[in-house]
Amino acid sequence: MKKWVFGLVSLGIAVCLFWTFFSSAWMPRTSDRERLQSLLDRVGQDVRRWVDAGNLERPNGCVYAVDVGQLLFFAAKEKDRELYQKLRSLVQAHLLVSDPSDPYTDGFVAWRFKEGDPLDASGTTEALRIAEGLWWGSRIFDEPSDREWVKKIIAGYGRHAGVDQGIWFIRNYFNFQTRAFSVNSFLIDYDPDFLARIRDETNDEKVAELVEKSTDLIRKAVAASGLIYDVVQPEILTLMPGSGQVAFSPNDVIQLSNSAALSERVVKEARDVAEGVMKFAMNQSDPLRLYYEGRSGKEFHSKRSGIESYGPLLRLAKKLENRDAIERFLPPFLAFAEKFARNPSQPRAYTASEILTTIQVLLAPAP
């Protein structure tokens, strides 16, 4: 009798442990899964229609590389070869810089283009997003040439690096007309986790250096609130020598969406930084605002966050396996996404890319 009871108790404990282990990964309830899948289908079809019609412009008539890059990533992960090839052709025709007479800019990525106008400047966030899309495409569709383009793009990204006042940073852009780099950098211009993936698969020492220095700079840019300052501009130290201030935001105001978008890209290389941003967001009252003070963490403006914040926060939550954060941020995300699906508003290609890539992450198996 005692052995029977002992066996029953042991079985109960084993079942509990099994359930705890396998239920720790968040999965959407059936109703949410259906809503997410419906959005993926509807918004995805809109994107395919816009691409077919050559209609990815924002209101100013320009096509932005960040929009194209994130849609390229979506197409690769969705294993939609037709959409991927169309976006890839657009990238190669208009955004990738490859001029034999100007080898220095080989592999640079234009931040935007407009039919009939010369390219004005490169983009570094844009280079990372285009490279990420091509990287996944090279793997999923077995496109070796895309892998070679990624190497060129990352090498070009690395040539944006500079040192000023003893601070290493990636200069935000290169002006193709003046042949000059910008004197500042935006923290959104970094992606240590993606670069680390390339480092691990290529053993490229220069990429390894980019990972190390990018991660170090991001750690130095964390504000007292846990958010991440938006701008690096070393020349300011000439006015504030000895201050140690590496990064800042104008009037100490940080845009939550930028911190969220960056933090989801440092989960592997600087998890503590990513967790700090998530902790900040979870400690705020609903609805989340778009702007907060860096030092105090206080709400700066009443403007509410939208897809630009809830999308990356959900992707971050999934990567951190934070069930509570997903449950909290999913309802507003769904509300914004469904409103967009009914009536796509500008910048529609960018918003669509945020919706689609977020849903892909949410519906994917746990990391």
Side-chain angles (χ1 to χ4, degrees), residues 124-126 128-129 157 172 185-191 228-231 257-263 265:
T124 42
T125 304
E126 293 79 4
L128 292 169
R129 299 297 183 270
Y157 171 84
N172 185 246
S185 178
F186 296 157
L187 267 297
I188 199 67
D189 296 339
Y190 302 85
D191 191 340
I228 305 168
Y229 280 120
D230 295 313
V231 183
S257 59
N258 289 339
S259 288
L262 174 59
S263 62
R265 296 174 180 276

Side-chain angles (χ1 to χ4, degrees), residues 95-322:
L95 293 171
L96 294 182
V97 178
S98 183
D99 182 354
S101 67
D102 187 13
Y104 184 76
T105 62
D106 188 40
F108 282 16
V109 173
W111 77 297
R112 65 181 185 180
F113 78 89
K114 187 175 184 178
E115 290 285 358
D117 289 355
L119 299 179
D120 56 352
S122 65
T124 42
T125 304
E126 293 79 4
L128 292 169
R129 299 297 183 270
I130 294 291
E132 186 179 35
L134 291 173
W135 182 263
W136 282 103
S138 72
R139 296 166 61 90
I140 292 171
F141 301 124
D142 190 23
E143 294 278 1
S145 62
D146 290 358
R147 186 183 180 91
E148 293 306 308
W149 263 113
V150 171
K151 293 178 181 178
K152 285 187 177 184
I153 291 170
I154 296 305
Y157 171 84
R159 289 198 295 280
H160 283 70
V163 177
D164 189 4
Q165 308 297 316
I167 298 172
W168 177 94
F169 65 115
I170 292 290
R171 291 168 290 190
N172 185 246
Y173 64 83
F174 177 82
N175 188 302
F176 293 120
Q177 278 71 53
T178 65
R179 307 287 297 179
F181 284 102
S182 66
V183 297
N184 63 9
S185 178
F186 296 157
L187 267 297
I188 199 67
D189 296 339
Y190 302 85
D191 191 340
D193 286 356
F194 171 57
L195 291 175
R197 183 183 294 275
I198 297 176
R199 174 201 63 195
D200 295 343
E201 295 195 21
T202 63
N203 295 314
D204 189 314
E205 293 183 0
K206 291 184 178 179
V207 177
E209 183 179 3
L210 287 173
V211 174
E212 180 183 354
K213 291 184 175 180
S214 295
T215 304
D216 181 61
L217 183 66
I218 290 167
R219 287 189 181 282
K220 292 176 179 176
V222 176
S225 63
L227 292 175
I228 305 168
Y229 280 120
D230 295 313
V231 183
V232 175
Q233 192 159 352
E235 66 179 3
I236 287 181
L237 290 177
T238 61
L239 295 175
M240 304 168 60
S243 68
Q245 186 78 13
V246 171
F248 73 101
S249 288
N251 297 323
D252 196 46
V253 177
I254 297 177
Q255 187 167 313
L256 175 61
S257 59
N258 289 339
S259 288
L262 174 59
S263 62
E264 70 149 323
R265 296 174 180 276
V266 297
V267 171
K268 295 186 182 299
E269 295 301 308
R271 188 181 180 93
D272 55 317
V273 174
E275 289 178 335
V277 172
M278 180 56 71
K279 181 179 179 181
F280 175 88
M282 289 294 284
N283 285 339
Q284 305 312 305
S285 58
D286 291 319
L288 292 178
R289 307 302 177 179
L290 187 56
Y291 301 107
Y292 295 89
E293 294 178 2
R295 286 185 289 274
S296 69
K298 293 180 179 179
E299 171 189 321
F300 176 77
H301 193 278
S302 61
K303 182 176 177 60
R304 297 182 179 185
S305 277
I307 286 291
E308 76 286 333
S309 296
Y310 287 108
L313 282 173
L314 278 171
R315 298 194 297 269
L316 173 61
K318 183 68 179 288
K319 292 176 182 179
L320 292 175
E321 300 181 65
N322 188 327

Side-chain angles (χ1 to χ4, degrees), residues 24-100:
S24 61
W26 178 88
M27 290 298 292
R29 57 181 65 89
T30 302
S31 59
D32 287 339
R33 175 174 285 277
E34 291 174 350
R35 292 172 72 185
L36 289 167
Q37 187 61 55
S38 175
L39 282 165
L40 190 73
D41 295 340
R42 292 157 61 193
V43 177
Q45 286 305 314
D46 282 341
V47 166
R48 293 176 180 92
R49 188 171 65 254
W50 301 336
V51 172
D52 286 344
N55 191 12
L56 292 178
E57 297 90 350
R58 294 193 188 185
N60 62 3
C62 294
V63 176
Y64 283 74
V66 68
D67 304 356
V68 177
Q70 294 190 170
L71 290 176
L72 191 70
F73 174 85
F74 160 74
K77 298 288 279 188
E78 199 67 9
K79 299 181 180 179
D80 186 334
R81 182 184 287 272
E82 182 179 358
L83 177 61
Y84 178 82
Q85 292 291 353
K86 290 175 181 177
L87 289 166
R88 176 176 177 264
S89 296
L90 185 152
V91 167
Q92 292 182 327
H94 298 287
L95 293 171
L96 294 182
V97 178
S98 183
D99 182 354

